[in-house]
Each structure stands twice: as structure tokens, then as C-alpha cells.
């Protein structure tokens, strides 16, 4: 390139490299991120939208990213909180905090909502009504206080029943969420409503995350309302058992043991016979369809054949019932603990002195005797 033309090209680049008003100095630092984090922290100390009456403590937001759009900013954050007297570990939720520029006052929080794609919290769905029981905290939206008080009374019966079945340290109390509709329940759990249709309640919480995860029992208002009083007691005792055993439950715990133990805790004080409590499996055994193996984890998936699902739960319960009857309640509890730490063959050998094949043979024989 000729020297003259090269000089023209270099001169043409000067306006692009040096802004006329600021010259060629370093660009001004963007202070949006630190200012937004400070504004969120100050607001989180007493957010005006916090539900009245809910015993929050340790409420804080950890901002992970900030995006500015003119006079607005959007902070992605993790909300952490505990319910005083109920949670030893913090619950957490992905949130998006929207802020507006307030002139000399800096950034101000304008809205707090679930992060895109994240499930809502109960208070995102409306005004929360709080009912306390002796062992339970019930939080409801769109439910009358009398209904919530009934749930609290049922939960108060469930907690001591669980303590009798699981004599290991646990919180000894439960938090129950009562949303207004099945769709609202499904939204809280981040799954389609069809996944919970017909169920009375489910339990949230991750397995193996510490001594006292912040578990919640979530009521399905449609399924729960269709149950008898005895049925509601069974459902809440079952779900509360999952709360109590959560810290001992890991990815190695087979679902037949986890679900069967929860049903064993729920049924152990009742007077129902195996045929009454396991009608689907009883019908199968009587027509000669005796299961050949303990239920696999995949057999507990929702959305398939409801009768097959019922047989899986019933078979799991009868397996745990057999273990308690043959080896003792304490042995069943030890098996549950060991199965969360070691493969099932090891856990069976160390606690019951049998292998899976021996347990399966004893279980199948019990099914013939009690359901045939």
C-alpha cells in the first residue's frame, strides 16, 4: 500500500479509537454490579413484600449476575431463608430481582420474582395464611383457615407416629404447604399437574444433604380432599416419614425400601389387614400373578399404569412389614441406614444376614400366605 494511502487509513481510524469528548483515556468503570448488589442487600433486610406472619429468619439474596437495560437492572440471585423453629438448614430458590434507577438515590428494588424457568414460592401465588399446630406449621394460599387447621391437626398426629417408627434424631416437626389448586401445587414443584393427579401429597427435598434438610410436605388439594380421615392420616404420616428419614436417604437407597418404610410407618399403628391395605396386589396374587422380584426403582414412576404403581407401593410396604416382623423393627431401621451408605447386598448381609435372593423368597412366600 502506498505510504500516502496508509496515512489516510490511520487517520480515519482515530475517531473510532478516541471519543471526541473523552479523548483516549481508559473507559469509565461500570459500577452497576456493586451498586445493585448493595441495593439488593439493603432491601433484603426488610423487603416490603415478605408475607406477614410467616416466621422467616436468615433471609438473604446472593446475587450471581447483573444485567442492565437503561434505567433498569435485573439481578439473578439465590434466595436463602429458614423458617424459625422448623428449619435447621436453609431453603433456597432461584430469583430475579428487578431494580430501577432512582436518580440521586441510586438503584431501588421494584420487583422480586422467580428466576426464568424456576418454580415459584408459595407466597408468589397469593396471600399466605399461617396456622400453627403443636408439631406442624401449615402455610396456605386460597384456603380457609378451618381447612388449614384440620391439616395442622392431622400433621400433629403424624409427627409422633413417625417418631415411634424412626427412633433416630430428626426435627420432630413438619412444614406443610397447602396451595389453592392442583395446578398451583404442580407449579411449586416445577412439574406438570398430571404427575400429581390423584395423589394426596408429596414431599420436597434433596436426599443426603445434611442432618436436617428444609423439607416441605405439599398438599394436592384435589387428591387430599377425596380422602377419608384415616386416609389423610396415612398420607401425612407417609410424607412426614420421608422428612424424618431424608438425611439417611441417598442415591443408593432403593425406592422399595424408601417408599415401603414410609408406608410401614403409616400403617403400623392401624388395624388394617394386608389384603385391605394392599388390594391391587391381593387381586394379582389371587389370580396367580405373583411378582418375581422386589419392585425396581422405575416401577415407582408416575404417569404409567396406576394399578401397577399401586402394586409396587403395596409390595414395598409388605417387604418392610416382613422385615420388621421377622427380624424386628430395629433391624428394619438399621437396614434403612445401611442402605443409604452401602450397596443393598452389603446392607442386607450386615443387618439381616441374608442376600437379596433370600429376602425375595421370604417376601414372595409372605405374599402367598397373606394375600392368596
Amino acid at each position: 500500500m502506498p505510504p500516502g494511502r496508509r496515512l489516510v487509513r490511520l487517520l480515519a481510524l482515530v475517531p473510532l479509537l478516541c471519543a471526541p469528548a473523552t479523548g483516549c483515556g481508559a473507559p469509565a468503570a461500570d459500577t452497576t454490579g456493586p451498586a445493585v448488589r448493595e441495593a439488593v442487600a439493603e432491601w433484603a433486610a426488610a423487603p416490603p413484600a415478605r408475607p406477614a406472619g410467616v416466621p422467616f429468619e436468615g433471609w438473604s439474596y446472593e446475587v450471581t449476575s447483573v444485567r442492565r437495560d437503561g434505567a433498569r437492572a435485573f439481578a439473578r440471585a439465590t434466595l436463602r431463608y429458614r423458617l424459625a423453629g422448623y428449619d435447621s438448614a436453609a431453603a433456597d430458590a432461584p430469583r430475579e430481582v428487578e431494580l430501577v434507577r432512582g436518580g440521586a438515590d441510586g438503584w431501588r428494588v421494584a420487583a422480586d420474582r422467580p428466576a426464568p424457568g424456576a418454580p415459584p414460592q408459595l407466597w408468589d401465588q397469593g396471600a399466605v395464611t399461617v396456622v400453627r399446630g403443636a408439631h406442624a406449621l401449615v402455610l396456605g394460599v386460597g384456603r380457609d383457615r378451618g381447612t388449614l387447621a384440620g391439616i395442622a391437626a392431622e400433621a400433629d398426629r403424624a409427627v409422633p407416629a413417625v417418631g415411634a417408627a424412626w427412633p433416630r434424631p430428626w426435627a420432630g416437626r413438619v412444614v406443610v404447604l397447602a396451595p389453592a389448586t392442583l395446578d398451583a401445587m404442580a407449579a411449586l414443584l416445577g412439574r406438570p399437574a398430571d404427575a400429581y393427579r390423584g395423589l394426596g401429597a408429596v414431599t420436597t427435598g434433596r436426599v443426603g444433604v445434611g442432618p436436617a434438610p428444609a423439607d416441605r410436605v405439599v398438599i394436592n388439594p384435589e387428591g387430599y380432599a377425596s380422602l377419608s380421615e384415616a386416609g389423610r392420616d396415612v398420607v401425612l404420616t407417609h410424607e412426614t416419614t420421608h422428612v424424618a428419614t431424608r438425611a439417611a436417604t441417598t442415591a443408593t437407597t432403593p425406592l422399595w425400601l424408601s417408599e415401603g418404610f414410609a408406608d410401614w410407618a403409616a400403617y403400623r399403628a392401624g388395624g388394617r389387614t394386608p389384603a385391605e391395605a394392599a388390594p391391587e396386589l391381593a387381586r394379582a396374587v389371587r389370580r396367580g400373578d405373583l411378582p418375581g422380584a422386589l419392585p425396581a426403582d422405575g416401577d415407582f414412576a408416575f404417569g404409567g399404569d396406576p394399578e401397577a404403581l399401586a402394586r409396587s407401593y403395596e409390595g414395598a410396604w409388605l417387604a418392610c412389614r416382613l422385615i420388621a416382623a421377622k427380624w424386628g423393627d430395629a433391624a428394619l431401621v438399621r437396614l434403612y441406614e445401611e442402605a443409604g451408605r452401602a450397596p443393598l447386598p452389603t446392607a442386607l448381609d450386615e443387618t439381616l444376614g441374608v442376600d437379596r435372593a433370600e429376602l425375595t423368597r421370604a417376601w414372595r412366600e409372605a405374599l402367598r400366605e397373606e394375600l392368596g
Side-chain angles (χ1 to χ4, degrees):
M1 179 181 294
R5 187 170 298 176
R6 183 182 301 115
L7 177 60
V8 171
R9 184 179 180 89
L10 290 173
L11 290 173
L13 288 175
V14 171
L16 300 178
L17 297 175
C18 301
T22 61
C24 291
D30 185 356
T31 61
T32 300
V36 163
R37 284 175 165 82
E38 182 178 355
V40 171
E42 291 177 355
W43 170 83
R50 185 179 298 177
V54 181
F56 289 118
E57 66 177 6
W59 181 283
S60 66
Y61 290 75
E62 180 184 352
V63 176
T64 56
S65 66
V66 176
R67 176 176 62 86
R68 182 171 179 174
D69 184 4
R72 293 186 176 270
F74 301 87
R76 290 290 182 90
T78 300
L79 165 64
R80 293 188 176 88
Y81 68 91
R82 294 183 302 277
L83 295 178
Y86 292 88
D87 294 337
S88 297
D92 57 68
R95 307 291 290 183
E96 180 178 72
V97 182
E98 181 179 350
L99 301 94
V100 294
R101 187 76 174 171
D105 295 332
W107 292 100
R108 175 178 56 82
V109 172
D112 169 34
R113 51 183 168 256
Q121 297 297 296
L122 185 68
W123 57 85
D124 293 318
Q125 298 180 336
V128 177
T129 300
V130 181
V131 173
R132 293 175 181 266
H135 307 292
L137 178 70
V138 181
L139 309 178
V141 168
R143 314 295 297 277
D144 64 85
R145 183 170 290 276
T147 298
L148 299 180
I151 294 172
E154 289 150 359
D156 280 347
R157 293 194 293 271
V159 169
V162 172
W166 182 254
R168 296 292 186 265
W170 68 290
R173 51 194 178 270
V174 65
V175 177
V176 183
L177 306 184
T181 65
L182 170 60
D183 286 339
M185 173 209 186
L188 292 176
L189 298 166
R191 295 191 63 190
D194 284 345
Y196 306 107
R197 199 174 303 279
L199 299 182
V202 297
T203 309
T204 67
R206 299 180 295 271
V207 299
V209 295
D215 254 343
R216 308 286 184 253
V217 174
V218 186
I219 297 290
N220 171 7
E222 295 179 9
Y224 198 77
S226 69
L227 297 171
S228 65
E229 181 179 347
R232 293 193 296 270
D233 283 345
V234 166
V235 165
L236 277 185
T237 304
H238 177 108
E239 300 304 335
T240 303
T241 301
H242 286 315
V243 174
T245 59
R246 184 70 69 196
T249 309
T250 71
T252 68
T253 308
L255 282 180
W256 70 260
L257 182 56
S258 175
E259 298 299 340
F261 187 93
D263 268 350
W264 174 76
Y267 284 121
R268 66 195 295 267
R272 304 179 72 184
T273 67
E276 291 171 337
E280 290 297 335
L281 190 53
R283 280 190 282 271
V285 171
R286 287 168 189 159
R287 66 173 178 259
D289 188 11
L290 185 71
L294 290 163
D297 283 3
D299 295 335
F300 293 92
F302 292 102
D305 180 357
E307 294 179 357
L309 180 63
R311 291 194 296 271
S312 297
Y313 273 88
E314 293 166 0
W317 166 57
L318 288 169
C320 289
R321 182 175 181 271
L322 166 69
I323 293 168
K326 187 176 179 65
W327 287 277
D329 294 2
L332 176 59
V333 171
R334 289 197 304 272
L335 173 62
Y336 198 105
E337 292 177 308
E338 287 301 318
R341 295 191 286 254
L344 183 63
T346 301
L348 288 172
D349 180 60
E350 292 183 355
T351 58
L352 308 184
V354 299
D355 59 20
R356 188 185 184 105
E358 292 174 284
L359 175 61
T360 301
R361 282 194 295 271
W363 172 68
R364 297 180 78 237
E365 184 57 35
L367 297 183
R368 288 191 191 95
E369 293 177 359
E370 296 184 318
L371 302 180

